[in-house]
Amino acid sequence: AWAARRSSTTQDGSALFVVDRGGDKIRRVEVATGAVTTVAGSGTRGSADGVGGTAQFHYPSDFAISLDGALCLLLTSAATRSGGRRGRRA
């Protein structure tokens, strides 16, 4: 099951994933140490599927991570031609 959200923890609670809207990235925060790493997003505003730093987002708003952590689906709040939100895979 997928549930879109702005933050989510790993199943064991050791890490928190958060949307960095201003940086156009998805970040991982290690709960024990506070260390932050970028999971997805190049930091360059755009709209491109990709792995890790090759993905580009435009104001990411919500995301969902598969249970095995292999796939991240992201919604951006940038308007499309139809006025809706865009989905990206990273």
Side-chain angles (χ1 to χ4, degrees):
W2 296 88
R5 57 194 71 193
R6 290 192 173 102
S7 66
S8 181
T9 58
T10 55
Q11 286 186 325
D12 65 4
S14 65
L16 174 69
F17 292 92
V18 295
V19 172
D20 177 355
R21 291 197 70 187
D24 297 309
K25 297 179 180 184
I26 301 295
R27 308 275 192 175
R28 178 184 172 119
V29 180
E30 298 301 323
V31 173
T33 65
V36 178
T37 55
T38 299
V39 175
S42 67
T44 300
R45 191 157 292 141
S47 182
D49 290 344
V51 176
T54 63
Q56 291 183 336
F57 312 125
H58 188 216
Y59 296 116
S61 60
D62 300 293
F63 70 98
I65 298 175
S66 61
L67 290 177
D68 63 3
L71 179 65
C72 174
L73 299 178
L74 182 79
L75 293 175
T76 63
S77 56
T80 62
R81 288 184 185 158
S82 62
R85 295 180 350 159
R86 290 191 94 114
R88 303 275 14 118
R89 281 189 334 178

